[in-house]
């Protein structure tokens, strides 16, 4: 997981390869779902992911969002590796709040 969120994650942005960048995020999410071992929760999460995939690609193109997301995903993984559930939850909440802020910016930009 640490290698997944390592240099190639950043390099995909430097190369302008948003699809590779988003694919890395999806791999991370899928791995976390598998580790949870909860099929009901996994199904619910997958339904949410299905609804957010298009927005995630669009928001990733906004200036600064992907760079911030890299830091946030790495902080989340670090908390998970340390077994710090409270910090991991805080990281997820921060990541989601940040994404929502960028989505709002995106909606305002398009309109």
């Amino acid at each position: 997981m640490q290698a997944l969120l390592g240099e190639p994650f950043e390099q995909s942005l430097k190369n302008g390869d948003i699809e590779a960048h988003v694919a890395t995020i999806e791999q991370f999410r899928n791995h976390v779902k598998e580790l949870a071992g909860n099929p009901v929760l996994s199904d619910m999460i997958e339904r949410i992911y299905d609804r957010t995939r298009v927005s995630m690609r669009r928001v990733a193109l906004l200036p600064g969002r992907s760079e911030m997301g890299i830091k946030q995903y790495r902080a989340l993984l670090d908390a998970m590796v340390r077994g710090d559930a409270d910090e991991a939850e805080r990281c997820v909440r921060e990541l989601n709040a940040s994404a929502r802020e960028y989505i709002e910016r995106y909606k305002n930009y398009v309109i």
Side-chain angles (χ1 to χ4, degrees), residues 19 26 88:
E19 289 303 315
E26 289 182 348

Side-chain angles (χ1 to χ4, degrees), residues 21-110:
H21 183 76
V22 170
T24 299
I25 293 169
E26 289 182 348
Q27 282 181 283
F28 177 80
R29 288 175 165 184
N30 288 335
H31 192 67
V32 170
K33 275 191 326 186
E34 290 172 18
L35 290 173
N38 184 328
V40 174
L41 179 61
S42 291
D43 182 57
M44 290 170 49
I45 289 172
E46 190 55 39
R47 289 174 194 220
I48 293 169
Y49 289 169
D50 282 343
R51 293 182 177 171
T52 62
R53 281 188 174 98
V54 171
S55 295
M56 185 170 59
R57 282 176 173 75
R58 291 179 180 165
V59 171
L61 295 171
L62 295 173
R65 175 60 201 143
S66 293
E67 291 82 357
M68 180 185 294
I70 287 171
K71 291 176 186 172
Q72 291 170 326
Y73 275 105
R74 287 177 177 168
L76 171 58
L77 179 58
D78 182 56
M80 291 168 65
V81 167
R82 290 191 327 262
D84 188 342
D86 291 334
E87 178 63 12
E89 180 181 356
R90 190 199 67 71
C91 289
V92 168
R93 289 181 185 276
E94 178 183 311
L95 199 149
N96 289 336
S98 170
R100 274 191 300 276
E101 289 173 19
Y102 274 84
I103 288 169
E104 285 302 316
R105 289 184 199 171
Y106 174 76
K107 286 188 338 187
N108 292 335
Y109 176 75
V110 172

